[in-house]
């Protein structure tokens, strides 16, 4: 966005953030808004490419993990709702209203007014070894999901958890989903919904710039040392040194260039045009290869499906033909669920996620803030968790987050943010 002037380069920054994905942008925005001086470095010409553009556009509220025995994932995502309401309600496009219920104020904004349904496989579709654990999981999911129907959203959501809310009546929607949902025990409504990730990113960038944040694009970081970052700019000779009291590494799937204690996993995502259904739902099963989710996206007049499953590939150990295998598996699973797939153009891509390898769980769905000798590592876990990540990075450094938001003007901000990859693919499919 700008050249590296001597004044900018010689300045002592409170924070230099390496990586302009959703994690770096959200953290930089909240720190700058809260009074710190922040320089955000990004190697590409635009922000939020890579893993931030490859995500599914699915805003999680905890429902996906309601059946798990651990409460940490569910609690973290509920806490994320608290942070969203407490610190982001000042954004004009943040259209979630928190009163007695969670609802949308406008159809257009950060979040869609279409919620997600969860269809849980019954005993017939479960191997005998999993029947009892799955029955326990179903009861756990119904109990936790019913909590959303009884909460008082005008108060802290996190503090109301564990109060023993009575189960609600579970609505079975059956054929209204217009998909093949055989062997399903029941369907529950969640508070999950689709999000407009590009609009969120644009608004965060406007706030960051209006608060005095500095952005340096086309800047590749060569080394992160104690107190400073060494970089080089695209098309220019020589190096630049950026001095900072604190350095935050938010480089996503490029983190392994600096930190060996991370791993990158890939998840297949199938784009289908036109949309196979206008409903958002997840079919939950104890078998990862039988779990499938469908997200209905609508941008202007373009309507398409984005389909994922629960299968992930560890890129450090994946087989050579994993992409072909993933595509065949995804197509087979989608054909079981929908009719008409053969008549619609489709394309598959992979969404990437970076995880801390020292996590005690098999998969790491939470955000992480980890101090290393020369920097602090920040991983969002999920795009949805960027709000809690930013708020808690502030607190990690003893800075209390500020609620008030200022927004920069100008259409150039939109050109600085990448479009979601699924939207780019859908536009190409619509031309076939």
């Amino acid at each position: 966005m700008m050249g590296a002037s001597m004044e900018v380069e010689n300045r002592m920054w409170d924070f230099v953030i390496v990586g302009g994905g959703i994690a770096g942008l959200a953290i930089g925005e909240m720190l700058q808004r809260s009074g710190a001086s922040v320089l955000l470095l990004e190697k590409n010409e635009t922000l939020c490419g890579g893993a931030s553009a490859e995500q599914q556009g699915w805003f999680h509220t905890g429902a996906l993990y309601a059946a798990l025995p651990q409460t940490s994932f569910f609690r973290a995502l509920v806490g994320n709702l608290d942070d969203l309401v407490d610190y982001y309600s000042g954004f004009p496009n943040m259209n979630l209203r928190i009163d007695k219920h969670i609802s949308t104020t406008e159809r257009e904004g950060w979040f869609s007014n279409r919620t997600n349904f969860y269809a849980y496989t019954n005993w017939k579709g479960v191997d005998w070894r999993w029947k009892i654990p799955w029955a326990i999981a179903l009861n756990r999911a119904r109990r936790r999901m019913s909590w959303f129907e009884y909460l008082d959203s005008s108060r802290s959501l996190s503090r109301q958890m564990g109060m023993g809310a009575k189960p609600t009546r579970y609505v079975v929607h059956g054929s209204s989903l217009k998909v093949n949902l055989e062997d399903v025990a029941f369907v529950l409504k969640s508070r999950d919904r689709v999000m407009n990730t590009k609009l969120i990113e644009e608004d965060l960038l406007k706030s960051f710039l209006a608060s005095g944040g500095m952005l340096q694009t086309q800047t590749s970081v060569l080394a992160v040392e104690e107190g400073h970052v060494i970089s080089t700019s695209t098309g220019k000779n020589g190096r630049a040194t950026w001095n900072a009291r604190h350095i935050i590494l938010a480089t996503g799937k490029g983190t392994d260039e600096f930190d060996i204690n991370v791993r990158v996993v890939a998840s297949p995502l199938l784009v289908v045009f036109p949309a196979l259904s206008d409903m958002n739902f997840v079919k939950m099963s104890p078998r990862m290869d039988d779990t499938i989710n469908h997200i209905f996206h609508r941008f202007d007049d373009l309507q398409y499906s984005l389909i994922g499953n629960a299968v992930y590939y560890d890129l450090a150990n994946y087989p050579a033909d994993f992409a072909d295998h993933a595509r065949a598996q995804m197509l087979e699973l989608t054909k079981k669920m929908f009719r008409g797939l053969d008549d619609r153009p489709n394309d598959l891509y992979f969404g990437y996620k970076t995880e801390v390898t020292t996590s005690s769980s098999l998969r790491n769905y939470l955000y992480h803030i980890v101090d290393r000798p020369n920097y602090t590592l920040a991983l969002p876990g999920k795009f949805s968790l960027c709000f809690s990540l930013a708020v808690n990075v502030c607190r990690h450094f003893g800075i209390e987050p500020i609620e008030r938001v200022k927004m920069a003007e100008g259409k150039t901000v939109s050109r600085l943010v990448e479009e979601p990859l699924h939207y780019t693919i859908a536009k190409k499919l619509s031309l076939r």
Side-chain angles (χ1 to χ4, degrees):
M1 181 178 181
M2 63 186 71
S5 68
M6 290 299 294
E7 180 182 355
V8 172
E9 186 177 341
N10 293 332
R11 177 177 176 179
M12 172 60 74
W13 299 89
D14 291 331
F15 292 88
V16 169
I17 300 176
V18 182
I22 186 57
L25 176 57
I27 292 168
E29 185 276 331
M30 183 57 75
L31 284 169
Q32 185 70 47
R33 192 205 314 178
S34 301
S37 60
V38 180
L39 172 66
L40 180 59
L41 304 178
E42 167 57 39
K43 66 180 180 181
N44 297 312
E45 189 175 356
T46 54
L47 301 179
C48 296
S52 297
E54 295 158 356
Q55 47 65 49
Q56 204 169 1
W58 176 359
F59 182 68
H60 293 271
T61 61
L64 186 63
Y65 309 111
L68 294 180
Q70 307 99 314
T71 61
S72 56
F73 304 141
F74 186 75
R75 286 180 177 274
L77 285 157
V78 171
N80 188 58
L81 280 174
D82 278 330
D83 290 329
L84 175 68
V85 172
D86 289 344
Y87 298 103
Y88 293 87
S89 293
F91 283 88
N93 291 311
M94 209 296 276
N95 59 335
L96 278 191
R97 182 179 66 189
I98 305 297
D99 197 346
K100 289 293 183 181
H101 294 284
I102 303 170
S103 56
T104 39
T105 58
E106 302 288 343
R107 188 173 71 85
E108 301 298 333
W110 284 11
F111 305 102
S112 167
N113 61 337
R114 292 172 177 262
T115 56
N116 291 29
F117 294 93
Y118 281 72
Y120 291 86
T121 302
N122 62 20
W123 289 6
K124 295 179 182 179
V126 178
D127 185 87
W128 66 270
R129 294 170 296 179
W130 288 95
K131 288 189 184 297
I132 294 178
W134 186 243
I136 296 172
L138 293 182
N139 181 64
R140 186 185 299 120
R142 288 193 293 189
R143 186 176 68 252
R144 289 178 179 168
M145 295 278 272
S146 71
W147 172 80
F148 277 99
E149 303 302 325
Y150 283 84
L151 61 85
D152 180 355
S153 299
S154 63
R155 297 162 47 217
S156 169
L157 307 184
S158 302
R159 293 183 180 180
Q160 296 178 69
M161 293 187 65
M163 295 179 63
K166 296 179 181 179
T168 187
R169 291 189 303 173
Y170 312 114
V171 181
V172 178
H173 294 265
S175 61
S176 67
L177 291 179
K178 297 182 179 179
V179 293
N180 178 18
L181 289 176
E182 295 178 352
D183 298 332
V184 166
F186 51 80
V187 179
L188 303 179
K189 186 180 74 171
S190 78
R191 300 297 175 178
D192 294 5
R193 56 193 67 212
V194 177
M195 57 183 167
N196 186 332
T197 56
K198 191 172 190 295
L199 183 58
I200 293 172
E201 293 157 356
E202 289 177 6
D203 283 355
L204 292 177
L205 181 55
K206 288 179 180 178
S207 173
F208 175 70
L209 296 175
S211 300
M214 299 292 287
L215 172 64
Q216 192 78 30
T217 58
Q218 295 181 288
T219 302
S220 297
V221 171
L222 303 175
V224 178
E225 301 177 355
E226 185 176 0
H228 56 267
V229 176
I230 301 173
S231 71
T232 182
S233 298
T234 302
K236 295 183 178 181
N237 297 321
R239 299 183 178 187
T241 300
W242 314 97
N243 302 310
R245 296 180 177 87
H246 307 286
I247 299 169
I248 297 176
L249 197 69
T251 46
K253 62 183 179 182
T255 302
D256 56 0
E257 297 179 16
F258 305 93
D259 197 311
I260 63 172
N261 297 308
V262 296
R263 67 173 178 179
V264 179
V265 295
S267 175
L269 293 166
L270 185 69
V271 183
V272 182
F273 176 84
L276 293 163
S277 171
D278 64 351
M279 302 289 286
N280 302 318
F281 71 91
V282 187
K283 183 183 178 185
M284 299 291 291
S285 169
R287 289 180 51 189
M288 294 179 66
D289 58 358
D290 194 41
T291 298
I292 185 172
N293 59 75
H294 175 272
I295 299 295
F296 170 71
H297 278 288
R298 175 170 55 194
F299 287 93
D300 299 324
D301 294 329
L302 197 66
Q303 300 180 13
Y304 57 94
S305 294
L306 184 57
I307 302 168
N309 63 10
V311 176
Y312 287 82
Y313 298 86
D314 186 338
L315 294 193
N317 302 297
Y318 65 88
D321 62 344
F322 89 104
D324 294 336
H325 176 267
R327 177 173 179 80
Q329 185 181 53
M330 181 65 78
L331 289 174
E332 180 182 0
L333 191 59
T334 304
K335 287 179 180 179
K336 288 181 181 179
M337 192 70 63
F338 298 97
R339 295 178 180 176
L341 177 63
D342 292 334
D343 299 327
R344 291 170 167 83
N346 59 79
D347 197 6
L348 184 132
Y349 73 96
F350 287 88
Y352 294 88
K353 182 171 175 288
T354 306
E355 302 180 343
V356 177
T357 55
T358 55
S359 172
S360 59
S361 61
L362 179 63
R363 291 298 317 284
N364 166 11
Y365 301 101
L366 303 179
Y367 64 84
H368 279 263
I369 306 166
V370 184
D371 287 325
R372 303 297 195 206
N374 296 334
Y375 57 85
T376 296
L377 175 65
L379 295 174
K382 287 185 175 293
F383 191 109
S384 299
L385 284 168
C386 69
F387 309 108
S388 272
L389 174 65
V391 167
N392 284 287
V393 165
C394 274
R395 290 174 176 158
H396 184 78
F397 290 98
I399 300 172
E400 187 59 30
I402 298 298
E403 297 179 30
R404 182 181 296 179
V405 176
K406 295 188 295 184
M407 302 291 285
E409 299 294 334
K411 298 181 179 179
T412 57
V413 168
S414 181
R415 296 197 296 269
L416 288 170
V417 176
E418 284 288 320
E419 291 181 338
L421 182 56
H422 54 76
Y423 177 55
T424 302
I425 293 174
K427 286 193 293 186
K428 293 179 180 178
L429 293 176
S430 68
L431 299 176
R432 291 186 182 178

